[in-house]
Amino acid sequence: MRPYRSLFLMSLRRMLTYRLNALIGWLGGAAILISSLAVWNALLRNGDIGGYDWETMKGYLLIAWAMSAVGTSYGDWHMANRIRDGAVATDLTKPVDYQSARFAEQLGGLAFELVAIVVAALAVIVFTGGIPAPAGLGQGLLFALSFAMVVPLKFIIWYITTMVCFWTQNYLGVAWARDAVVWVFSGGLIPLSLMPSWLGSLAAALPFAGLAATPAALYLGQASGTEAWKLLAVQAFWLITLWLGARLLWRGALRALTVHGG
Amino acid sequence: MGLVKARGLTKVFRRPLKDPGLRGSLKHLVQRKFKEQMAVDGIDLDIEPGEAVAYVGPNGAGKSTTIKLLAGILVPTAGTVEVIGVRPHVDRMTNARNIGVLFGQRTQLWWDLPVRESLTLLRDMYKLSEPFYRKRIERLDGVLGLGELMPVLVRKLSLGQRMRADLAAALLHQPKIVYLDEPTIGLDISVKDKVREFLRDLRTDGTTLMLTTHDLGDIEDVCERIIIIDEGRKIFDGPLADMKDRFARVRRIHLQVASGYPQKIVEKLPGVEVSGELPEITVTFDRFAYTAGRIISAVLEVAEIGEFHLEEPAIEDVVRKVYAGELLRDATV
Amino acid sequence: MYRRSLGAHIRSILEYQADFWVLVLAGVLFQGLNLLFLSAVFNHVPTLNGWTYAESILLMGMWGMIGGLVPLFFEGMWGLAWRINQGELDYPLVRPLPVPAQVFSSAVGLHGFGDLIGGGAMLGWALFHIDVEWTPLTVLIGLVLFASAIAIHVSIVTITNAASFWIPGPHPFFAVTVHTFEDMIKYPLTIYGIGMRAVYTVVVPFAFVTFFPVSWLLGRDAGWVGLLTPLVAVYCVWMARLVFRAGLRRYESSGH
């Protein structure tokens, strides 16, 4: 446990040193939130769309944005670049589990992301007159549970796609394609219920829904009771499956690394 | 007609004065305070065609800044500068055609392409004719061994190979004057020799050279004029021989003395200093007063020597001495 | 010469062939997302402030085409912040070519091919489904407006990235932030409030990149404003040159 704790602390400390950089990153993230709020505000001006009114959509957008902010301070590029420039060799000589170690690093940035999320939430309250509260204490707790799973789930998806770097030099296209796919199927682009039904059903079967759509649905009370537990179960299922799948992939990655040399 | 003419050339950098930490950064957003750093302070330069000038000084003296002012990369805060009658930062592109530049720490070649591609691109940028280009390549190949580098990707070159390729790139269009900022930095001795040979060869074409370096060997082998600057000001400007005669007089011999009393030579050879503790002794002497051989034979008379090595004065030592001892400015030829 | 420089960079990237196709795919996907969003919204509403589905697709397609052409020819400007930070403008400054041209052509965003495919498909489909009287003059003006729109967009990219001459740092965060806001013009401007419309017309002329030219083509009420696009373009290009030149004067290179 100790090495992971130190990695976590080191990552946290690193975030503190680069806090000015982080602040600047927040501005960019804020722009994305602001623009999506502006677009939906405009779209919903003349009435509901698909059961979403402005109040609900505000909440949805904020949650989706918050979920997308998680894991971005360390980001996948940090890991990707280390593989691409060979610095990963040092990582591999350490007596820690590579996967868990990267996760510990990610968590170090989480504190900052949470601060950013709180600040954003406050700003939205101030400038748009409030955000919806969780639809009841029970829903709130379910949301918290889902959020707790979003953190590792997001990590494992990023981690798996980053491993592509063991096989290829250029990570940019892969990262973009993954971002596009995740954006759609997590409900970040548009709430899943507003998408054409065939896409919506596909999304429900994929792991990405657990990244934004599920926590949002729980918070806004759109899913409760058995429906809620079903969503949580799917989220957990994907988390476990991907976490284990990553380990298998890892063995292949190591083989690829030694073949390519230093 | 002077090739390079600078009068009162000055460059001041404004550096933000910030308190440390996040608080400081935020405070600076509101209350902007700056401190001025005079990188180049009223320098006058006159370089004639065909000269090879060494431009030296301690780190941070303003050498690179001066080069960048001459190349048109930086805009002077005050003063004038003209290179072949053109003001570099005003008529930038005209000036660019007349000059060649090499920054030792950085490459101007395209990283993911073979050397050949970089050179053909430069050929087109400078609008060189095909026969001229081929002749230049042949010439550069002769002195730099460019041929073997042509098909290699730039990112796969070793430092020495990259430097040779960058030299070719800087000189492809046969500029009248070339600025070289630390061209031998990090190179091993065999490559350094090759580079110096190349620079000497350049002079036979009448190319003017201006080179900044920390390496005394570069200066000795290539240049006949040396300009020393420190803290943005000229300390010395004159022939290399003059400078050595005036300031680089001190030499040191480090000896490993097996037995005996080396200190005794001070009685015989006035002006010589002996320092250190047996068995490691250092003899400091004025090279105009005594030759190294004289010193060694004097020591042999009173002691037994094991190993020894002769140390030449470093440029930094000379600069320090000049600045402290005989604050000389603008010593003319 | 510009073409040669671009070519050099394309060859650089094509060293990694698989990545080329992945990038193109990413570009197509990105445009596909835009299409998906718009289609999903239109499944629930009949018009967007009077703009029909086809008209909105036209707008989005135009933005997609610009998002394809500009990265192919002008991508290098996004690397300006890094270059300033590293002192990598030294060599371009000693070459007998204009610096902005060298910077622009120093990178190629190959995903642009994908954006062109996606955006082009949307544009093509929309052109068939809108109500426009096509004459040679219309086509000519349309092309002029399209070129002007590109000039405006490239000028904005230049000016915002040139901010790095004043705000140090290896990332063009200001330019990226502005671009995020610019992205909002893929929807008809009329959906936004009057305040935003004013800002996007007068303060930063985003609206002239897609909205006004398309409004003109569709013959909408304020469509005549679209004909001002070339003038706005001249102004923007002039501003961009001014700002960039001022920035170069401030350039301090790096220690070595």
Side-chain angles (χ1 to χ4, degrees):
Chain A
M1 209 54 224
R2 239 182 66 192
Y4 304 106
R5 210 190 62 192
S6 336
L7 277 167
F8 163 75
L9 286 172
M10 180 208 78
S11 161
L12 189 63
R13 229 172 290 139
R14 193 173 167 273
M15 288 293 115
L16 274 165
T17 352
Y18 290 112
R19 49 184 185 261
L20 197 59
N21 258 34
L23 246 161
I24 289 172
W26 288 7
L27 288 174
I32 296 172
L33 179 61
I34 293 170
S35 80
S36 69
L37 284 169
V39 170
W40 275 106
N41 183 308
L43 292 174
L44 292 167
R45 205 186 288 274
N46 299 324
D48 291 13
I49 291 183
Y52 278 87
D53 62 357
W54 173 229
E55 284 303 310
T56 319
M57 186 53 91
K58 243 198 297 180
Y60 183 86
L61 289 172
L62 185 59
I63 294 171
W65 178 87
M67 299 300 112
S68 74
V70 166
T72 50
S73 39
Y74 236 86
D76 50 339
W77 277 99
H78 177 81
M79 181 178 152
N81 284 333
R82 285 188 72 83
I83 300 175
R84 289 162 78 214
D85 63 33
V88 71
T90 351
D91 294 337
L92 293 172
T93 60
K94 301 265 164 62
V96 286
D97 174 51
Y98 186 77
Q99 188 166 324
S100 311
R102 303 285 82 66
F103 184 48
E105 279 175 357
Q106 276 271 22
L107 287 178
L110 187 63
F112 279 84
E113 291 148 14
L114 288 174
V115 173
I117 290 170
V118 168
V119 169
L122 288 172
V124 172
I125 292 174
V126 166
F127 289 107
T128 67
I131 53 174
L137 183 62
Q139 295 295 122
L141 288 172
L142 290 171
F143 167 72
L145 198 58
S146 185
F147 175 71
M149 281 198 278
V150 166
V151 179
L153 182 62
K154 188 137 195 238
F155 162 75
I156 202 67
I157 292 172
W158 261 240
Y159 176 75
I160 288 175
T161 49
T162 313
M163 281 209 264
V164 151
C165 291
F166 283 106
W167 284 275
T168 165
Q169 259 291 323
N170 192 319
Y171 178 60
L172 188 63
V174 174
W176 279 355
R178 175 207 61 212
D179 286 345
V181 167
V182 170
W183 191 231
V184 175
F185 291 111
S186 66
L189 174 72
I190 192 169
L192 297 179
S193 58
L194 295 182
M195 293 207 292
S197 51
W198 60 276
L199 263 176
S201 332
L202 178 61
L206 292 171
F208 315 112
L211 288 175
T214 302
L218 294 171
Y219 185 95
L220 297 169
Q222 293 163 334
S224 49
T226 27
E227 181 63 32
W229 288 107
K230 214 174 72 177
L231 288 174
L232 283 169
V234 173
Q235 197 181 7
F237 163 76
W238 278 115
L239 176 57
I240 298 169
T241 313
L242 289 175
W243 191 275
L244 295 172
R247 294 205 166 283
L248 285 169
L249 203 58
W250 173 243
R251 295 207 199 110
L254 276 181
R255 238 175 287 133
L257 188 66
T258 45
V259 166
H260 280 257
Chain B
M1 215 277 285
L3 205 69
V4 175
K5 208 162 68 164
R7 293 282 175 273
L9 191 57
T10 305
K11 181 67 183 172
V12 177
F13 290 123
R14 276 202 327 169
R15 295 269 168 264
L17 258 175
K18 275 198 283 192
D19 290 336
L22 181 63
R23 216 219 217 117
S25 304
L26 289 175
K27 200 164 89 166
H28 187 258
L29 282 175
V30 191
Q31 232 185 26
R32 301 180 79 79
K33 271 186 286 190
F34 294 93
K35 106 176 144 181
E36 295 201 330
Q37 181 210 341
M38 188 98 68
V40 174
D41 190 0
I43 288 196
D44 294 341
L45 282 177
D46 280 285
I47 302 182
E48 299 297 317
E51 281 198 86
V53 181
Y55 199 67
V56 301
N59 287 323
K63 307 189 294 293
S64 293
T65 309
T66 312
I67 298 282
K68 288 174 187 170
L69 285 165
L70 294 176
I73 294 171
L74 296 175
V75 175
T77 314
T80 62
V81 51
E82 261 180 34
V83 177
I84 314 184
V86 171
R87 282 169 303 166
H89 63 280
V90 175
D91 298 304
R92 193 190 57 81
M93 288 200 272
T94 318
N95 181 55
R97 267 177 246 281
N98 294 332
I99 67 173
V101 185
L102 175 85
F103 292 110
Q105 314 257 20
R106 241 179 282 139
T107 181
Q108 69 159 309
L109 307 166
W110 280 257
W111 199 243
D112 289 302
L113 293 176
V115 172
R116 176 181 295 118
E117 300 275 348
S118 289
L119 294 177
T120 52
L121 249 159
L122 287 168
R123 172 199 69 195
D124 293 339
M125 271 195 196
Y126 287 94
K127 305 208 185 95
L128 309 174
S129 74
E130 187 60 36
F132 178 80
Y133 171 73
R134 253 179 272 131
K135 217 172 58 172
R136 289 300 291 163
I137 296 286
E138 224 183 277
R139 175 78 191 281
L140 295 165
D141 183 23
V143 200
L144 289 171
L146 196 58
E148 59 176 4
L149 302 176
M150 289 297 244
V152 184
L153 291 179
V154 172
R155 67 180 153 90
K156 294 237 151 83
L157 295 172
S158 72
L159 182 59
Q161 294 172 320
R162 204 215 76 206
M163 201 63 86
R164 282 153 55 198
D166 262 303
L167 276 170
L171 287 139
L172 191 68
H173 57 292
Q174 204 165 26
K176 299 198 189 69
I177 178 166
V178 179
Y179 306 115
L180 302 146
D181 192 9
E182 311 247 21
T184 62
I185 195 163
L187 300 178
D188 66 52
I189 191 68
S190 63
V191 185
K192 274 195 204 194
D193 279 344
K194 217 173 194 157
V195 170
R196 291 175 195 162
E197 188 197 321
F198 174 69
L199 295 177
R200 283 197 301 273
D201 180 81
L202 268 185
R203 304 197 54 208
T204 62
D205 289 336
T207 311
T208 311
L209 294 180
M210 186 167 170
L211 117 96
T212 76
T213 180
H214 283 287
D215 190 323
L216 194 54
D218 285 350
I219 305 169
E220 294 255 23
D221 270 10
V222 180
C223 308
E224 78 270 317
R225 176 173 163 199
I226 180 168
I227 300 177
I228 305 180
I229 80 165
D230 192 13
E231 294 192 357
R233 283 190 219 111
K234 259 205 308 194
I235 302 298
F236 178 87
D237 183 356
L240 185 60
D242 277 7
M243 188 217 82
K244 291 172 79 176
D245 285 348
R246 222 185 294 201
F247 309 118
R249 303 174 69 120
V250 168
R251 281 170 120 190
R252 271 186 268 264
I253 300 185
H254 300 286
L255 305 156
Q256 261 192 2
V257 175
S259 66
Y261 302 97
Q263 307 89 308
K264 281 205 167 149
I265 62 170
V266 188
E267 299 157 18
K268 253 198 151 166
L269 311 172
V272 167
E273 276 173 36
V274 178
S275 55
E277 276 178 32
L278 284 164
E280 312 279 345
I281 301 288
T282 301
V283 181
T284 311
F285 63 97
D286 181 330
R287 68 185 174 95
F288 285 106
Y290 308 102
T291 63
R294 182 79 191 83
I295 301 289
I296 296 276
S297 38
V299 176
L300 280 172
E301 284 170 21
V302 293
E304 231 180 82
I305 304 180
E307 300 289 333
F308 70 92
H309 100 261
L310 185 57
E311 192 191 297
E312 301 288 348
I315 284 291
E316 266 86 354
D317 292 339
V318 176
V319 174
R320 229 173 288 129
K321 183 178 218 169
V322 169
Y323 201 64
E326 293 123 81
L327 217 78
L328 247 134
R329 294 211 200 174
D330 260 351
T332 44
V333 181
Chain C
M1 192 53 237
Y2 195 89
R3 201 173 33 89
R4 289 274 280 120
S5 182
L6 277 182
H9 282 278
I10 294 187
R11 262 171 293 142
S12 257
I13 307 183
L14 289 182
E15 289 278 305
Y16 312 106
Q17 273 176 351
D19 308 313
F20 169 69
W21 291 112
V22 177
L23 280 171
V24 172
L25 179 69
V28 175
L29 268 174
F30 190 69
Q31 294 302 323
L33 291 194
N34 282 338
L35 178 63
L36 176 63
F37 182 82
L38 204 60
S39 310
V41 171
F42 266 93
N43 262 347
H44 298 268
V45 297
T47 65
L48 233 46
N49 268 80
W51 283 64
T52 67
Y53 182 59
E55 292 170 340
S56 305
I57 294 287
L58 180 68
L59 199 66
M60 201 164 255
M62 181 180 180
W63 180 233
M65 289 283 287
I66 293 178
L69 288 170
V70 172
L72 286 176
F73 295 102
F74 301 102
E75 185 79 344
M77 191 54 73
W78 289 100
L80 184 66
W82 182 84
R83 281 181 159 238
I84 294 171
N85 191 254
Q86 298 286 110
E88 289 281 334
L89 280 182
D90 290 356
Y91 278 121
L93 278 163
V94 300
R95 295 210 183 111
L97 292 171
V99 178
Q102 291 187 64
V103 174
F104 277 132
S105 62
S106 68
V108 178
L110 284 175
H111 60 91
F113 283 119
D115 289 278
L116 272 180
I117 294 171
M122 282 195 269
L123 191 70
W125 180 90
L127 286 173
F128 270 109
H129 288 81
I130 52 169
D131 196 12
V132 166
E133 241 189 75
W134 292 104
T135 71
L137 185 64
T138 321
V139 175
L140 184 65
I141 297 182
L143 288 172
V144 169
L145 293 186
F146 186 66
S148 309
I150 291 182
I152 295 173
H153 175 70
V154 173
S155 303
I156 294 174
V157 168
T158 305
I159 294 173
T160 53
N161 272 287
S164 299
F165 282 115
W166 286 268
I167 313 171
H171 297 296
F173 81 93
F174 178 66
V176 172
T177 307
V178 171
H179 182 79
T180 306
F181 287 117
E182 186 184 8
D183 201 43
M184 290 164 63
I185 59 168
K186 61 192 178 200
Y187 309 114
L189 202 72
T190 45
I191 65 175
Y192 303 119
I194 185 83
M196 181 153 280
R197 271 185 276 162
V199 169
Y200 274 40
T201 306
V202 179
V203 177
V204 192
F206 292 139
F208 284 93
V209 179
T210 56
F211 182 70
F212 285 123
V214 174
S215 294
W216 170 83
L217 184 68
L218 296 173
R220 303 197 85 90
D221 285 340
W224 62 270
V225 180
L227 292 170
L228 295 175
T229 310
L231 288 172
V232 177
V234 169
Y235 169 70
C236 288
V237 171
W238 176 76
M239 278 296 290
R241 289 190 75 202
L242 214 71
V243 171
F244 199 88
R245 225 176 260 164
L248 275 181
R249 288 188 70 88
R250 278 187 66 94
Y251 176 65
E252 283 181 3
S253 187
S254 65
H256 283 277

PDB file of all heavy atoms in Angstrom, chain C residues 128-140:
ATOM      1  N   PHE C 128     -28.346  20.282 -51.916  1.00  0.00           N
ATOM      2  CA  PHE C 128     -29.407  19.713 -52.724  1.00  0.00           C
ATOM      3  C   PHE C 128     -30.789  19.919 -52.118  1.00  0.00           C
ATOM      4  O   PHE C 128     -31.797  19.822 -52.817  1.00  0.00           O
ATOM      5  CB  PHE C 128     -29.180  18.202 -52.904  1.00  0.00           C
ATOM      6  CG  PHE C 128     -28.357  17.889 -54.112  1.00  0.00           C
ATOM      7  CD1 PHE C 128     -27.050  17.429 -53.992  1.00  0.00           C
ATOM      8  CD2 PHE C 128     -28.880  18.060 -55.379  1.00  0.00           C
ATOM      9  CE1 PHE C 128     -26.279  17.146 -55.106  1.00  0.00           C
ATOM     10  CE2 PHE C 128     -28.121  17.780 -56.509  1.00  0.00           C
ATOM     11  CZ  PHE C 128     -26.817  17.322 -56.368  1.00  0.00           C
ATOM     12  N   HIS C 129     -30.819  20.157 -50.825  1.00  0.00           N
ATOM     13  CA  HIS C 129     -32.112  20.191 -50.154  1.00  0.00           C
ATOM     14  C   HIS C 129     -32.563  21.570 -49.741  1.00  0.00           C
ATOM     15  O   HIS C 129     -33.543  21.723 -49.040  1.00  0.00           O
ATOM     16  CB  HIS C 129     -32.068  19.280 -48.911  1.00  0.00           C
ATOM     17  CG  HIS C 129     -32.058  17.824 -49.259  1.00  0.00           C
ATOM     18  ND1 HIS C 129     -30.922  17.154 -49.635  1.00  0.00           N
ATOM     19  CD2 HIS C 129     -33.066  16.920 -49.312  1.00  0.00           C
ATOM     20  CE1 HIS C 129     -31.220  15.894 -49.899  1.00  0.00           C
ATOM     21  NE2 HIS C 129     -32.518  15.722 -49.708  1.00  0.00           N
ATOM     22  N   ILE C 130     -31.788  22.588 -50.167  1.00  0.00           N
ATOM     23  CA  ILE C 130     -32.236  23.925 -49.781  1.00  0.00           C
ATOM     24  C   ILE C 130     -32.844  24.633 -50.985  1.00  0.00           C
ATOM     25  O   ILE C 130     -32.631  24.249 -52.132  1.00  0.00           O
ATOM     26  CB  ILE C 130     -31.083  24.772 -49.212  1.00  0.00           C
ATOM     27  CG1 ILE C 130     -29.899  24.770 -50.184  1.00  0.00           C
ATOM     28  CG2 ILE C 130     -30.677  24.293 -47.841  1.00  0.00           C
ATOM     29  CD1 ILE C 130     -28.849  25.776 -49.826  1.00  0.00           C
ATOM     30  N   ASP C 131     -33.564  25.688 -50.659  1.00  0.00           N
ATOM     31  CA  ASP C 131     -34.310  26.413 -51.686  1.00  0.00           C
ATOM     32  C   ASP C 131     -33.494  27.618 -52.139  1.00  0.00           C
ATOM     33  O   ASP C 131     -33.606  28.704 -51.570  1.00  0.00           O
ATOM     34  CB  ASP C 131     -35.634  26.857 -51.060  1.00  0.00           C
ATOM     35  CG  ASP C 131     -36.620  27.271 -52.131  1.00  0.00           C
ATOM     36  OD1 ASP C 131     -36.350  27.003 -53.336  1.00  0.00           O
ATOM     37  OD2 ASP C 131     -37.663  27.851 -51.767  1.00  0.00           O
ATOM     38  N   VAL C 132     -32.651  27.435 -53.126  1.00  0.00           N
ATOM     39  CA  VAL C 132     -31.821  28.542 -53.597  1.00  0.00           C
ATOM     40  C   VAL C 132     -31.827  28.594 -55.113  1.00  0.00           C
ATOM     41  O   VAL C 132     -31.769  27.579 -55.784  1.00  0.00           O
ATOM     42  CB  VAL C 132     -30.352  28.376 -53.113  1.00  0.00           C
ATOM     43  CG1 VAL C 132     -29.425  29.301 -53.870  1.00  0.00           C
ATOM     44  CG2 VAL C 132     -30.237  28.633 -51.627  1.00  0.00           C
ATOM     45  N   GLU C 133     -31.904  29.818 -55.622  1.00  0.00           N
ATOM     46  CA  GLU C 133     -31.830  29.977 -57.083  1.00  0.00           C
ATOM     47  C   GLU C 133     -30.370  30.073 -57.490  1.00  0.00           C
ATOM     48  O   GLU C 133     -29.704  31.065 -57.213  1.00  0.00           O
ATOM     49  CB  GLU C 133     -32.552  31.264 -57.455  1.00  0.00           C
ATOM     50  CG  GLU C 133     -33.738  31.043 -58.375  1.00  0.00           C
ATOM     51  CD  GLU C 133     -34.259  32.364 -58.885  1.00  0.00           C
ATOM     52  OE1 GLU C 133     -33.598  32.947 -59.778  1.00  0.00           O
ATOM     53  OE2 GLU C 133     -35.272  32.840 -58.344  1.00  0.00           O
ATOM     54  N   TRP C 134     -29.919  29.048 -58.166  1.00  0.00           N
ATOM     55  CA  TRP C 134     -28.511  29.022 -58.528  1.00  0.00           C
ATOM     56  C   TRP C 134     -28.248  29.699 -59.864  1.00  0.00           C
ATOM     57  O   TRP C 134     -28.767  29.302 -60.886  1.00  0.00           O
ATOM     58  CB  TRP C 134     -28.007  27.581 -58.583  1.00  0.00           C
ATOM     59  CG  TRP C 134     -27.960  26.923 -57.237  1.00  0.00           C
ATOM     60  CD1 TRP C 134     -28.845  26.012 -56.761  1.00  0.00           C
ATOM     61  CD2 TRP C 134     -26.999  27.155 -56.213  1.00  0.00           C
ATOM     62  NE1 TRP C 134     -28.495  25.642 -55.486  1.00  0.00           N
ATOM     63  CE2 TRP C 134     -27.365  26.331 -55.119  1.00  0.00           C
ATOM     64  CE3 TRP C 134     -25.880  27.973 -56.098  1.00  0.00           C
ATOM     65  CZ2 TRP C 134     -26.634  26.300 -53.932  1.00  0.00           C
ATOM     66  CZ3 TRP C 134     -25.147  27.930 -54.905  1.00  0.00           C
ATOM     67  CH2 TRP C 134     -25.529  27.092 -53.841  1.00  0.00           C
ATOM     68  N   THR C 135     -27.411  30.729 -59.822  1.00  0.00           N
ATOM     69  CA  THR C 135     -26.939  31.354 -61.055  1.00  0.00           C
ATOM     70  C   THR C 135     -25.418  31.394 -60.992  1.00  0.00           C
ATOM     71  O   THR C 135     -24.843  31.242 -59.915  1.00  0.00           O
ATOM     72  CB  THR C 135     -27.454  32.794 -61.186  1.00  0.00           C
ATOM     73  OG1 THR C 135     -26.765  33.616 -60.224  1.00  0.00           O
ATOM     74  CG2 THR C 135     -28.952  32.866 -60.953  1.00  0.00           C
ATOM     75  N   PRO C 136     -24.759  31.584 -62.133  1.00  0.00           N
ATOM     76  CA  PRO C 136     -23.290  31.668 -62.081  1.00  0.00           C
ATOM     77  C   PRO C 136     -22.828  32.743 -61.100  1.00  0.00           C
ATOM     78  O   PRO C 136     -21.838  32.575 -60.409  1.00  0.00           O
ATOM     79  CB  PRO C 136     -22.902  32.031 -63.516  1.00  0.00           C
ATOM     80  CG  PRO C 136     -24.028  31.545 -64.345  1.00  0.00           C
ATOM     81  CD  PRO C 136     -25.266  31.646 -63.516  1.00  0.00           C
ATOM     82  N   LEU C 137     -23.581  33.844 -61.041  1.00  0.00           N
ATOM     83  CA  LEU C 137     -23.205  34.916 -60.121  1.00  0.00           C
ATOM     84  C   LEU C 137     -23.301  34.434 -58.672  1.00  0.00           C
ATOM     85  O   LEU C 137     -22.422  34.710 -57.851  1.00  0.00           O
ATOM     86  CB  LEU C 137     -24.114  36.135 -60.324  1.00  0.00           C
ATOM     87  CG  LEU C 137     -23.722  37.369 -59.492  1.00  0.00           C
ATOM     88  CD1 LEU C 137     -22.343  37.865 -59.923  1.00  0.00           C
ATOM     89  CD2 LEU C 137     -24.751  38.475 -59.636  1.00  0.00           C
ATOM     90  N   THR C 138     -24.379  33.707 -58.371  1.00  0.00           N
ATOM     91  CA  THR C 138     -24.541  33.183 -57.008  1.00  0.00           C
ATOM     92  C   THR C 138     -23.362  32.305 -56.628  1.00  0.00           C
ATOM     93  O   THR C 138     -22.809  32.418 -55.543  1.00  0.00           O
ATOM     94  CB  THR C 138     -25.827  32.333 -56.896  1.00  0.00           C
ATOM     95  OG1 THR C 138     -26.851  32.935 -57.657  1.00  0.00           O
ATOM     96  CG2 THR C 138     -26.249  32.190 -55.458  1.00  0.00           C
ATOM     97  N   VAL C 139     -22.995  31.435 -57.569  1.00  0.00           N
ATOM     98  CA  VAL C 139     -21.880  30.530 -57.291  1.00  0.00           C
ATOM     99  C   VAL C 139     -20.611  31.322 -57.045  1.00  0.00           C
ATOM    100  O   VAL C 139     -19.855  31.065 -56.098  1.00  0.00           O
ATOM    101  CB  VAL C 139     -21.673  29.550 -58.467  1.00  0.00           C
ATOM    102  CG1 VAL C 139     -20.438  28.702 -58.229  1.00  0.00           C
ATOM    103  CG2 VAL C 139     -22.889  28.659 -58.635  1.00  0.00           C
ATOM    104  N   LEU C 140     -20.379  32.327 -57.919  1.00  0.00           N
ATOM    105  CA  LEU C 140     -19.158  33.122 -57.779  1.00  0.00           C
ATOM    106  C   LEU C 140     -19.119  33.827 -56.434  1.00  0.00           C
ATOM    107  O   LEU C 140     -18.138  33.769 -55.704  1.00  0.00           O
ATOM    108  CB  LEU C 140     -19.093  34.149 -58.915  1.00  0.00           C
ATOM    109  CG  LEU C 140     -17.817  34.981 -58.931  1.00  0.00           C
ATOM    110  CD1 LEU C 140     -16.618  34.091 -59.209  1.00  0.00           C
ATOM    111  CD2 LEU C 140     -17.911  36.088 -59.978  1.00  0.00           C
TER     112      LEU C 140
END
